[in-house]
Amino acid sequence: MYYIVETSKTPEQAATDLAEAVVRNGFGVLHVHDLGATLRSKGVAFERQCKVFEVCNPQQAASVLAADMRLNMALPCRISVYTDGGKTWIGMIRPVRMLGMLSTDAALVATAGEVEQVVTRIIDEAR
């Protein structure tokens, strides 16, 4: 269900490298949520770091939405850079598995497979 890799990089360096890999692979970063900073700003004692990148390939997203507009709730793809157990991790929920739970449309499964292949490569490049 997940694709998660460990990196020896700091969370900051992993996040920078991830943003660069996203662009190199034809996707765009729509937004980065710094969940750790948000929680701390709300008075929650949260020691770990966690940045969630919302990434998108417009052509792929349009294809998914044309097939089933309800899938807008599963978009855009999200890639996380986070710390856990003193280590830095980069990961995602696999698009094929996620969309497979939401639709049986073969064309969507194929699109999800293409997206998953690229997003896996993005994570591996950022590693």
Side-chain angles (χ1 to χ4, degrees), residues 11-32:
E12 296 79 11
Q13 187 61 56
T16 297
D17 292 349
L18 178 64
E20 293 171 358
V22 166
V23 173
R24 257 194 324 272
N25 283 278
F27 277 58
V29 175
L30 303 177
H31 191 74
V32 179

Side-chain angles (χ1 to χ4, degrees), residues 13 19-20 24-25 31-32 34 39 42 51 53-55 57 60 63 82 87 91-92 99 102-103 105 108 110 123 125:
Q13 187 61 56
E20 293 171 358
R24 257 194 324 272
N25 283 278
H31 191 74
V32 179
D34 189 334
L39 291 173
K42 304 296 182 191
K51 290 187 178 179
F53 287 71
E54 292 184 347
V55 302
N57 175 287
Q60 299 290 17
S63 174
Y82 64 98
K87 298 178 180 178
M92 69 170 168
L99 284 181
L102 302 172
S103 175
D105 184 321
L108 286 176
I123 291 170
E125 286 180 15

Side-chain angles (χ1 to χ4, degrees), residues 57-73:
N57 175 287
Q59 292 77 23
Q60 299 290 17
S63 174
V64 169
L65 295 174
D68 187 341
M69 189 59 192
R70 296 173 300 172
L71 293 176
N72 71 77
M73 294 174 255

Side-chain angles (χ1 to χ4, degrees), residues 36-93:
T38 299
L39 291 173
R40 288 186 290 277
S41 76
K42 304 296 182 191
V44 176
F46 189 80
E47 297 303 318
R48 291 177 266 177
Q49 295 187 47
C50 180
K51 290 187 178 179
V52 180
F53 287 71
E54 292 184 347
V55 302
C56 181
N57 175 287
Q59 292 77 23
Q60 299 290 17
S63 174
V64 169
L65 295 174
D68 187 341
M69 189 59 192
R70 296 173 300 172
L71 293 176
N72 71 77
M73 294 174 255
L75 299 178
C77 292
R78 296 165 59 102
I79 306 171
S80 296
V81 175
Y82 64 98
T83 58
D84 192 28
K87 298 178 180 178
T88 303
W89 305 88
I90 307 171
M92 69 170 168
I93 296 174

